[in-house]
């Protein structure tokens, strides 16, 4: 398993084989996956909470592209019309919704990576990364979708609701349970490719940095150095992933705010070029640092829990071990 090479707490050290083998002793699995899940929840929830103002700007630029034609105009107009508190609309949905998503995304990624590593022994590691992240992301988005449905409405329509507590009943009253999952398909279309690219890019970036920049085995580096590698790999992964998933992000915002009633109608109304370019700068500004901080907090939590930082380093570095 990728994340557990290196130093392990007393009594556990030496019982977990090399990460590339993808196996964890049965008696250690519950603790390991629990740490990964809790770390994912805390890291995703807190970082998404911190970036709420940027998310409010992004959503409003997507839903009202004519009114808000630039980041600066969106900021100033929102502040003038609704006051400073508008920048924190939907913060509870960000914290709890993306916390639930992060717990599933990181915890289940590690679980599925162990499963696929044992099944696809002779396959390229990228295939394992892709399948593991995609499988985990399905469950992550089922957890996120109801929160996202309410959050986007709260942020883009001042009169809809004040927050999650009154927003959830309003969505249910007007659309039923289906309203919470109106955007599930495009949400999966946004987040599954993002997650696949993000995790694979992160894993390969970690391997590249240790091999070509640090030029030392992970266990020979200090925890601060390991977390530095985590941040560099995390920013690269977040930036690449945000570009790949930007079209689906625009479609999600359009469907949730009733700008279109179907996937194809949303694509036609937005336009093919705008799918890739609309809100892309603000999204890269939002997602890159957010993913970096998620990985940093996630790996910090793991280090505090006695586990080494994330990312596989294949055999062949230094004296021949990874």
């Amino acid at each position: 398993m990728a994340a557990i090479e290196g130093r392990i707490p007393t009594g556990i050290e030496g019982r977990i084989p090399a990460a590339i083998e993808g196996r964890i002793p049965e008696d250690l699995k519950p603790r390991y996956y629990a740490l990964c899940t809790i770390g994912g929840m805390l890291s995703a929830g807190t970082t998404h909470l911190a970036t709420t103002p940027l998310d409010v700007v992004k959503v409003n630029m997507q839903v009202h592209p004519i009114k808000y034609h630039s980041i600066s105009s969106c900021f100033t107009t929102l502040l003038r019309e609704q006051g400073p508190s508008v920048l924190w609309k939907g913060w509870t949905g960000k914290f709890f919704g993306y916390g639930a998503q992060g717990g599933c995304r990181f915890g289940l990624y590690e679980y599925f990576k162990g499963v696929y590593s044992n099944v696809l022994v002779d396959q390229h590691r990228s295939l394992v990364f892709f399948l593991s992240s995609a499988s985990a992301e399905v469950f992550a988005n089922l957890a996120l979708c109801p929160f996202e449905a309410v959050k986007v409405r709260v942020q883009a329509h001042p009169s809809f609701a004040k927050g999650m507590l009154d927003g959830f009943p309003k969505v249910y009253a007007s659309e039923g349970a289906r309203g919470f999952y109106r955007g599930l398909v495009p949400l999966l279309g946004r987040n599954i490719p993002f997650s696949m690219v993000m995790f694979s890019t992160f894993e390969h970036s970690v391997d590249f940095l240790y091999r070509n920049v640090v030029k030392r085995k992970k266990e020979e580096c200090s925890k601060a150095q390991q977390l530095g590698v985590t941040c560099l790999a995390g920013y690269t992964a977040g930036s690449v992933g945000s570009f790949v998933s930007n079209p689906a992000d625009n479609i999600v915002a359009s469907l949730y705010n009733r700008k279109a009633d179907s996937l194809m109608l949303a694509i036609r109304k937005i336009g093919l070029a705008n799918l890739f370019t609309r809100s892309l700068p603000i999204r890269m500004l939002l997602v890159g640092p957010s993913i970096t901080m998620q990985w940093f907090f996630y790996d910090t939590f793991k280090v505090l829990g006695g586990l080494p930082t994330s990312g596989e380093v294949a055999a062949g570095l230094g004296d021949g071990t990874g």
Side-chain angles (χ1 to χ4, degrees):
M1 179 63 63
I4 34 183
E5 53 178 287
R7 185 170 298 176
I8 306 297
T10 303
I12 299 178
E13 186 172 0
R15 299 175 61 196
I16 299 179
I20 201 71
E21 295 179 8
R23 292 190 297 271
I24 305 174
E26 289 296 326
D27 59 326
L28 300 183
K29 286 183 178 181
R31 177 179 180 271
Y32 175 70
Y33 294 138
L35 281 173
C36 291
T37 301
I38 295 170
M41 290 177 64
L42 293 175
S43 65
T46 53
T47 52
H48 277 281
L49 174 63
T51 57
T52 298
L54 288 173
D55 188 58
V56 170
V57 172
K58 175 185 75 73
V59 168
N60 278 276
M61 289 180 67
Q62 291 173 327
V63 177
H64 310 293
I66 298 176
K67 182 178 181 180
Y68 305 119
H69 52 82
S70 69
I71 297 174
S72 60
S73 70
C74 189
F75 258 119
T76 55
T77 304
L78 285 172
L79 288 172
R80 185 177 65 252
E81 293 181 351
Q82 301 181 50
S85 62
V86 68
L87 297 178
W88 292 99
K89 275 199 166 185
W91 71 267
T92 51
K94 293 281 285 182
F95 180 74
F96 292 107
Y98 283 91
Q101 183 201 40
C104 294
R105 173 181 281 175
F106 285 95
L108 290 177
Y109 172 74
E110 296 293 350
Y111 169 76
F112 282 118
K113 187 162 65 170
V115 172
Y116 291 126
S117 293
N118 291 329
V119 174
L120 305 172
V121 178
D122 298 323
Q123 299 298 316
H124 196 279
R125 293 304 292 170
S126 292
L127 179 60
V128 174
F129 302 150
F130 285 148
L131 290 175
S132 302
S133 54
S135 300
E137 198 64 25
V138 172
F139 294 94
N141 282 271
L142 287 172
L144 168 66
C145 202
F147 293 93
E148 184 77 353
V150 179
K151 177 192 75 72
V152 171
R153 289 171 170 86
V154 168
Q155 291 176 334
H157 300 288
S159 61
F160 176 74
K162 293 181 180 180
M164 295 291 112
L165 288 179
D166 56 336
F168 270 102
K170 285 190 175 183
V171 172
Y172 185 78
S174 61
E175 302 179 51
R178 183 176 178 273
F180 295 114
Y181 290 93
R182 167 181 290 275
L184 179 60
V185 172
L187 194 66
L188 290 170
R190 178 187 76 182
N191 289 342
I192 287 180
F194 172 81
S195 188
M196 292 171 69
V197 171
M198 188 269 286
F199 275 103
S200 181
T201 301
F202 178 84
E203 296 274 10
H204 288 299
S205 295
V206 168
D207 183 67
F208 174 84
L209 288 169
Y210 279 110
R211 286 173 171 276
N212 299 284
V213 179
V214 180
K215 296 183 178 179
R216 295 164 63 190
K217 293 187 292 183
K218 182 188 289 189
E219 58 267 27
E220 295 175 352
C221 298
S222 67
K223 294 303 180 185
Q225 290 172 325
Q226 292 182 34
L227 290 173
V229 170
T230 291
C231 289
L232 287 173
Y235 187 81
T236 302
S239 298
V240 174
S242 64
F243 176 78
V244 170
S245 59
N246 197 61
D249 190 58
N250 281 304
I251 294 172
V252 168
S254 178
L255 288 174
Y256 276 143
N257 285 280
R258 315 289 293 202
K259 296 292 182 179
D261 293 325
S262 68
L263 182 64
M264 293 308 299
L265 183 58
I267 294 173
R268 287 198 297 270
K269 292 188 71 173
I270 296 171
L272 189 60
N274 285 334
L275 280 175
F276 288 91
T277 59
R278 180 179 293 176
S279 73
L280 181 60
I282 184 66
R283 189 155 187 265
M284 293 189 74
L285 182 65
L286 173 69
V287 175
S290 175
I291 293 298
T292 304
M293 295 309 295
Q294 281 186 47
W295 278 109
F296 175 73
F297 289 142
Y298 176 62
D299 271 358
T300 299
F301 183 83
K302 288 170 68 177
V303 167
L304 293 175
L307 300 173
T309 55
S310 304
E312 291 186 358
V313 183
L317 182 62
D319 64 358
T321 60

